[in-house]
Amino acid sequence: MRLLLNTPTPTRESSIDVKPFSVRLNLHGDLDFFLGSKADRRRLERSLSEKTSVKDVIESCGVPHPEVDLILVNGMPVDFDYGVMSDAEIELYPPGIGHPHFKEKRLQIATIGRFVADGHLGRLTRNLRLLGFDVAYDSQAQDRQLLAVMKHENRALLTRDRRLLMYAIVKTGYYPRSQNADEQTIEVIRRFDLLGSIAPFTRCLRCNAPLQKVAKADIIEKLEPLTKIYYEQFRRCTGCRQIYWAGSHFTKLQKRLGQIRINFGS
Ligand SMILES: [Zn+2]
């Protein structure tokens, strides 16, 4: 017993003394977007006085971690949980910005075709569904629900709420830069490399379920008189049973597709 009493008490490991230090961040690609009014500066300096994860350093500058694909600390690639505790030069690269090395150290998924969009992105959701992409959307969804759907259904989170993207649980996400839905659509196609996966007219705009071809005879009693006369090809939602045909929907879709392809030079 006496021996036990003499055992020195362990020191608390939380209070590691670190001398104040400073980190310099260099932002590549369009990451300076997140600096707002400071957007003319691609270099930032931060003073720190305790060991801090590189994720927290990056996000304290306003850049959500899902927007960062490669982090170099003093030239070496690191993960988001890397602890910075002395002077450092930090380079940040977004997805899609070429770097000659460290291809295996990329932190983001390059391609994903399944999304969950926050309640403010209804028009973007509609556009993406029009192009055949699977987008979970509920205009009333709370943050907690969005994060749960993202995690359990393995979806990328689309939101213009930076704070939401900064949750550690978010593995894949994107902050649309534009406030215009058509431009946002192009951004998402570019970020997630979706140009080759576009499948127009295959998904319900209302409920996100896949559409299937249906014979005119099977639905004819549900059609308006003019639709009955002018159209022959129909699809029906496998979820909400909404009927689609190549009328005005299709014309608008073709126009939008054309605009998207122009943007990608194809
Ligand atoms: Zn539907």
Side-chain angles (χ1 to χ4, degrees):
M1 290 307 276
R2 197 163 282 268
L3 271 177
L4 275 179
L5 284 172
N6 287 338
T7 308
T9 38
T11 49
R12 292 177 60 196
E13 57 181 4
S14 57
S15 55
I16 300 169
D17 271 342
V18 175
K19 284 185 196 151
F21 59 97
S22 65
V23 295
R24 281 168 306 282
L25 293 102
N26 297 306
L27 278 62
H28 297 268
D30 71 345
L31 288 179
D32 56 345
F33 168 85
F34 294 102
L35 303 183
S37 58
K38 297 169 285 182
D40 53 324
R41 292 194 296 162
R42 292 181 154 264
R43 285 173 65 83
L44 285 177
E45 189 152 345
R46 279 277 182 281
S47 295
L48 297 168
S49 55
E50 59 183 4
K51 184 176 175 182
T52 308
S53 75
V54 76
K55 174 182 182 290
D56 287 348
V57 175
I58 295 168
E59 293 189 334
S60 74
C61 303
V63 182
H65 72 278
E67 297 285 348
V68 178
D69 195 26
L70 177 66
I71 308 167
L72 302 180
V73 175
N74 298 326
M76 293 305 295
V78 300
D79 297 331
F80 289 115
D81 55 7
Y82 175 86
V84 186
M85 54 192 301
S86 57
D87 290 355
E89 195 79 29
I90 302 177
E91 306 282 335
L92 303 177
Y93 293 85
I97 294 295
H99 186 283
H101 305 296
F102 311 123
K103 288 201 165 44
E104 73 287 3
K105 298 293 185 183
R106 295 279 168 173
L107 300 167
Q108 302 300 331
I109 295 171
T111 305
I112 190 168
R114 291 161 58 79
F115 303 96
V116 54
D118 89 12
H120 301 288
L121 297 177
R123 294 174 66 86
L124 170 63
T125 297
R126 200 179 150 85
N127 276 359
L128 289 172
R129 286 177 178 171
L130 205 55
L131 299 173
F133 297 111
D134 178 349
V135 187
Y137 176 79
D138 173 354
S139 62
Q140 305 296 319
Q142 303 293 311
D143 291 357
R144 198 185 302 177
Q145 291 166 276
L146 292 168
L147 295 172
V149 170
M150 174 202 74
K151 184 173 191 291
H152 296 127
E153 301 180 13
N154 194 25
R155 295 173 181 274
L157 176 62
L158 303 175
T159 179
R160 295 190 90 245
D161 178 350
R162 255 183 239 222
R163 189 188 42 82
L164 189 55
L165 277 180
M166 288 181 183
Y167 279 99
I169 193 180
V170 179
K171 297 284 177 252
T172 312
Y174 181 74
Y175 181 107
R177 274 54 162 171
S178 174
Q179 301 202 43
N180 171 282
D182 288 351
E183 290 171 10
Q184 292 173 344
T185 308
I186 289 160
E187 288 180 33
V188 171
I189 290 170
R190 182 171 288 140
R191 161 63 185 90
F192 295 102
D193 195 19
L194 298 173
L195 192 60
S197 313
I198 291 173
F201 227 39
T202 56
R203 193 167 293 275
C204 182
L205 303 186
R206 294 206 312 194
C207 80
N208 197 43
L211 304 184
Q212 64 181 190
K213 283 187 178 157
V214 61
K216 187 175 182 179
D218 292 345
I219 49 157
I220 195 154
E221 78 282 3
K222 295 193 169 65
L223 302 177
E224 299 292 329
L226 287 176
T227 311
K228 257 184 220 177
I229 295 168
Y230 289 117
Y231 300 100
E232 295 302 324
Q233 298 197 336
F234 297 89
R235 293 187 184 189
R236 185 165 56 192
C237 174
T238 53
C240 72
R241 317 298 283 171
Q242 166 89 8
I243 296 164
Y244 292 84
W245 59 92
S248 60
H249 288 135
F250 195 67
T251 314
K252 275 189 218 156
L253 172 61
Q254 290 292 50
K255 200 173 151 202
R256 208 163 273 168
L257 266 178
Q259 285 163 349
I260 287 169
R261 294 219 155 99
I262 286 166
N263 271 278
F264 286 91
S266 61

